[in-house]
Amino acid sequence: MQDQLFMYIYTKPSTVTASETASMPVAPKYTYTPLNHLKGGTIVNLYGAVKFFKPPYISKGTDYCSVVTIVDQSNVKLTCTLFNGNLDALPKIYKIGDIVRFHRIKIREYNEQMQGITGIGFASLTFDGTVGAPIVPRTSSKSYSFTEEEQKTIEELRMWAASNLSVCGPTAKLSGVQPMLFFDLTCQLVGKAEVDGSSFLLKVWDGTKCPYPSWKVLVEESDLEGDKVLIHQLRNLIVDILVYDNHVKLAKSLKVGSFLRIYSLHTKQASAENQPDVSYVEFHLHGGTCYGRGIRVLPENNPDVKELKAFMDSVNLTESQNVESMSSMELDGIFGSLSYQSYSERCQQLSVTVLTDHQHLDDTALNTILNSAVPQQYRIRAKLRTFKPQKLYQSVKLYCSKCNSLQEVPDGDDFDLILRDCAATAPNPEVHNSLWYDSAVWDTENQGQRKIAVHFVKHDELLQEPEDTLIMVQGGTLKEIRKLSRRFKCIIPVRSTKEDLELLDLSAPFLLQGKIWHYGCKQCSNQKTIQSLSSLAEEEPSWEPTEIARVLGIEPLQYVFVMKFTLDDGTGALDAYLFDYEKFFQIPASEVLTSSLLQEKMEMIMKILRPPGTKLDDLPWLECFIRSYNVKDGMEQQVCYQIFDTMVAEDVI
């Protein structure tokens, strides 16, 4: 059902006839789910306050993508990944603290966390999160419902967010910028020009003056779009911003005169090549979408735009022109010899990895770390001299978080031998068909007397659709089980005893879900009977691997990347271990062994981090957090280092 449009106009009470009442449209009644009541595999309606967001960007396909993290009074957060081919159909979020309403958003559970994704019929409204601001929905839709009860919901969420959510983002005016700052800037676009295929120039102002000399990016006057008279008039208040890579397409489409909010803008201090003692500030919007990096066009009726326009109207431009600054006089000669190539080369010194936390920490030299007490945590900037293993698929291991053991991922041939050994024993018909599963048996052709038994787990005594069904398989070969896994949601390999079905030895996976095989720890698991699964079947099962492992008494093993990086910053070198599930490469370790595409992607990433045949001086920088710790090796203590809270930059991926 499409949302309908209703306007609520308050007038003096009047008499309404029964026939008039019958003809009035009735707003559909929607139920909104608190974030702490979400379940995987459901489609819900919800309200939330924006805690983090990435402005819409073009995904690897043709759609636009926006990532939004929301919270509500339950203090539970939900990260939503939203796709749409129409940019205007995505939520119009302008700042942290905005309130969003999502209708028909799909909820899934991944790595024990709930996630929201767009599905059929998804619709959204966005509201200013400021307490007391008019409640006016932002949407491109012409048909939606909005009730008085929802107005109360928004007011309550605004009040809660004002007290519990840090809604003050890293905003700044040009008059308040400092070198080496990342901030959000609300401004007006007065000029633009293409610099090259991977970068674009935006000339902006916000009515205030940058306290530092700022760079002037050299472009041909004929390439500059905008009112040349106005640009000259505002020359002491304008700053030049270079935007890169994925932001270029949007920058080209911006209309001169429009009001923008530029997120995670970077100010960088630099020195002129011909006068090293003279410094100035550069403005960069780097490629990728980390930390919400991006550009958003603000409408004229936005409260921040109204405030900015009022301030700009009060600026004395004549006075501004009379106060000639270093940036418009002395530095013109200094910058005259600077080419864009020198700007670009500086930008290429940016790290190919980014930090996901603790950005306030300063870098520490490796020689200092090597001579420091243990344990400690450090922020470093270094180059990747070597890494192991060179065969990247060998980096995937199975890890038990309970006993901290690591083991190799078993070979598929071993699993096939276990299955064939079990298939030698015919299924026991006494354990077929129970209250919570139905059974079917097939004879194999030209394979002796081998029989395959498939037990279909029911819910409310009814079978589910195959894509939602868990089946237990006895007597099948690896080839047959792989074929079944393409049809059914989950498969548990079993064998039959005189009294019941039971799991195979934990040398085999206890669960197959698509191409992912889930293993259990032999040492830490305390296996329960297969009947324990019936408790999950009684509920509306989502068949999450963690829940299946829990009821079966299995301590699940997790797929992890384990690698050794030799890092060098010129002052020293050390070996740091990477121990990661999916954060660093943004590739799930559980999927890489069965996907040639993901293996190729991982190889490509490593070639960027450590280009083959490249000298150390020419290698890219890696910005990382590492922690030092002691490991007992016999009678001696050995100092080790581990990388954490670090990921490959999105523009690299």
Side-chain angles (χ1 to χ4, degrees), residues 49 60 79 92 109 128 155 194 240 320 324 341 402 404 430 434 446 465 495 501 508 511 513 521 542 553 647 651:
K60 289 181 172 62
T79 298
K92 299 180 183 297
E109 186 173 354
D128 191 326
E155 289 170 345
E194 185 167 2
D240 286 2
S320 168
E324 289 290 339
Q341 185 178 0
K402 192 169 184 179
N404 290 324
E430 296 295 324
S434 77
N446 304 320
E465 293 295 323
R495 58 188 167 207
L501 297 173
L511 178 72
Q513 195 174 42
C521 179
S542 58
M647 60 188 278
D651 45 337

Side-chain angles (χ1 to χ4, degrees), residues 541-568:
S542 58
W543 300 127
E544 290 298 323
T546 51
E547 280 298 294
I548 293 171
R550 181 183 61 81
V551 299
L552 291 176
I554 293 172
E555 186 64 37
L557 296 174
Q558 297 168 289
Y559 287 87
V560 294
F561 294 112
V562 180
M563 301 183 72
K564 184 169 77 172
F565 286 3
T566 300
L567 301 171
D568 190 324

